[in-house]
Amino acid sequence: MKPRLAFIALALAVATRLAGQTPAARFDNTRLDSVVQYLRSQVDSAFPGAVVAVGDHNRIALLAAVGHYGLDDPRPITTETVFDLASLTKVIGLTTACILLVDQKKLDLDAPVQRYLPEFRGAGKEKVTIRHLLTHSSGLPAWRPLFRETETREAALALVDTTPLDTVPGARYLYSDLGAIVLTQVVEHITKTRIDQYLDTAVFKPLGMTTTRYLPPVEWRDRIAPTEMDTAFRHRMIRGEVHDENTGRLGGISGHAGLFSTGPDLARFAMWLLQARRELPVAGRPVATGRLGTGITPSASLVAEFTSRQDLPPGSSRALGWDTPSENSSAGTKMSAHAFGHTGFTGTSIWLDPDRDLFIILLTNRVHPTRANTKILKVRPHVADLVVDAVTDQRP
């Protein structure tokens, strides 16, 4: 089977399971309902509206919406509401692109960034590797206001590429949007196409993720949850355009932010990843059979590498692109050591626990009307703990 056809075949198999396979009794429905009740209690406190999706590699066990769109839009949120994913873009988009390119041997995790991006210049940068970028240990600063310092996408990228390191590569963990922007350019140089076009062709369309994209069209606006009243850059309520100011300067397209999506679409993605991890032997569970080792579909071992803690630098909780549970993490207190996930500034999160064959997706617009509301920091881990408690066949 040709590589692209193999990936499409897998996507169709996932879509079939999503649509109609008889569910297995492994979730306590009463406890899942408590997740929805808890989220309802947080409406107009932690966020205006939210969508939660819970399931395993085979199906969605819970898909529910609570709350409303926002201050000037009292319509109820639905399970088809589109949310600004913010930094979930880093894992759903950018990291997945890197997995595919490594699988195709077009990207070497331990190669210097300069092999792919000669424009990445400055003292010490010859030692920065792709692995450093994915683990946020490159030595780059966390952020700089590109939207104020530059006027065009080209100028913003050039400024990122020439931003000096402030730490020796590999010596410190510092979550860096700048590093993700550098990695975006690496992907674009390798694929010779913009990252939005590459992801649409290589990931979203094959997986049937029809409501996942950058730059959502105008006709989507009424079903997109508004985010913040932007007082720093665009000076208007943001709805249907990326919340992140630097991504706005980059034309709405970057590997660090910019994707919009829905609960059902992200459930498809999560099921695909969990199926990939099920290819690996786990004590007490038969190895699943599938077509994940061919063509552009990544091998289970490669997916496991990307989603496992790297210990770079020592003590860091980061995997490759993904994060893993740590003290006070949004993963809560009950997920296994092999769980992996990520959060987004707008109030989004995704966690997957391959030991329990479990995914938890929470989408909110907690920054509406202002980012000053940080109650989501308590909501995420509590939701995660409630969901783990609802898994009836607990695994260690």
Side-chain angles (χ1 to χ4, degrees):
M1 183 177 288
K2 293 182 179 179
R4 178 163 172 74
L5 292 178
F7 194 35
I8 292 173
L10 172 63
L12 290 174
V14 170
T16 299
R17 293 187 181 95
L18 184 65
Q21 187 161 2
T22 301
R26 60 177 302 265
F27 290 98
D28 182 317
N29 290 332
T30 299
R31 290 186 174 185
L32 282 181
D33 187 60
S34 72
V35 177
V36 181
Q37 295 305 320
Y38 170 68
L39 287 172
R40 283 186 181 138
S41 75
Q42 299 302 304
V43 170
D44 291 329
S45 174
F47 47 74
V51 169
V52 60
V54 175
D56 58 28
H57 81 283
N58 206 43
R59 69 184 183 107
I60 295 177
L62 171 67
L63 178 62
V66 302
H68 54 93
Y69 279 85
L71 292 178
D72 299 322
D73 190 344
R75 292 177 303 139
I77 290 285
T78 77
T79 56
E80 295 299 324
T81 296
V82 177
F83 289 84
D84 181 335
L85 298 186
S87 283
L88 292 199
T89 301
K90 292 182 175 77
V91 290
I92 306 301
L94 181 60
T95 299
T96 304
C98 290
I99 290 174
L100 297 181
L101 294 174
V102 170
D103 190 58
Q104 296 167 10
K105 303 190 185 309
K106 295 179 179 178
L107 180 65
D108 182 343
L109 291 173
D110 295 308
V113 173
Q114 288 180 348
R115 175 188 296 181
Y116 308 100
L117 188 68
E119 298 90 338
F120 185 62
R121 302 187 305 273
K125 288 187 176 179
E126 71 281 355
K127 297 181 180 178
V128 177
T129 67
I130 301 300
R131 193 181 299 272
H132 286 137
L133 295 180
L134 283 164
T135 53
H136 296 274
S137 60
S138 67
L140 280 167
W143 183 83
R144 63 185 301 173
L146 305 174
F147 67 97
R148 291 197 186 104
E149 297 176 300
T150 61
E151 296 294 330
T152 66
R153 176 182 174 87
E154 292 72 24
L157 293 176
L159 188 58
V160 171
D161 292 341
T162 54
T163 295
L165 302 183
D166 60 16
T167 309
V168 175
R172 176 197 65 186
Y173 161 72
L174 180 66
Y175 184 81
S176 176
D177 278 358
L178 299 187
I181 295 171
V182 170
L183 190 55
T184 303
Q185 295 175 81
V186 170
V187 170
E188 292 183 338
H189 277 231
I190 292 171
T191 63
K192 297 181 172 57
T193 187
R194 226 170 44 187
I195 192 168
D196 59 325
Q197 298 166 347
Y198 175 72
L199 289 172
D200 188 55
T201 300
V203 180
F204 303 147
K205 283 182 178 175
L207 281 178
M209 297 170 68
T210 58
T211 51
T212 303
R213 61 169 294 166
Y214 292 89
L215 304 176
V218 174
E219 55 266 29
W220 285 20
R221 187 179 187 277
D222 284 346
R223 56 185 291 218
I224 299 175
T227 52
E228 191 175 24
M229 174 59 75
D230 183 352
T231 60
F233 179 31
R234 291 154 291 195
H235 304 285
R236 59 178 177 271
M237 181 64 72
I238 301 302
R239 183 173 190 170
E241 60 183 313
V242 65
H243 172 264
D244 181 80
E245 295 91 350
N246 280 346
T247 305
R249 174 60 72 215
L250 293 167
I253 299 168
S254 180
H256 79 284
L259 278 179
F260 289 73
S261 190
T262 61
D265 260 24
L266 294 184
R268 290 177 182 271
F269 179 84
M271 291 163 69
W272 171 66
L273 270 184
L274 285 174
Q275 186 179 353
R277 285 294 299 256
R278 281 176 66 84
E279 296 279 319
L280 288 174
V282 174
R285 187 184 73 202
V287 176
T289 58
R291 292 154 291 193
L292 290 167
T294 62
I296 66 170
T297 54
S299 67
S301 59
L302 181 59
V303 173
E305 180 180 6
F306 265 81
T307 56
S308 298
R309 185 174 293 198
Q310 298 291 296
D311 203 33
L312 178 66
S316 170
S317 65
R318 302 301 299 199
L320 293 171
W322 293 88
D323 200 3
T324 65
S326 58
E327 187 176 2
N328 299 320
S329 135
S330 63
T333 62
K334 301 181 179 184
M335 285 199 177
S336 78
H338 295 127
F340 57 95
H342 212 279
T343 62
F345 188 78
T346 51
T348 59
S349 60
I350 181 171
W351 280 95
L352 302 94
D353 189 337
D355 287 0
R356 291 189 172 89
D357 189 20
L358 172 69
F359 70 79
I360 307 169
I361 294 160
L362 180 62
L363 304 178
T364 81
N365 57 337
R366 72 94 189 169
V367 294
H368 181 77
T370 169
R371 68 185 69 189
N373 185 352
T374 60
K375 293 180 180 179
I376 194 69
L377 298 177
K378 293 184 178 180
V379 171
R380 287 179 180 133
H382 189 58
V383 167
D385 284 348
L386 287 173
V387 171
V388 173
D389 283 342
V391 180
T392 57
D393 57 339
Q394 298 276 349
R395 298 183 178 94

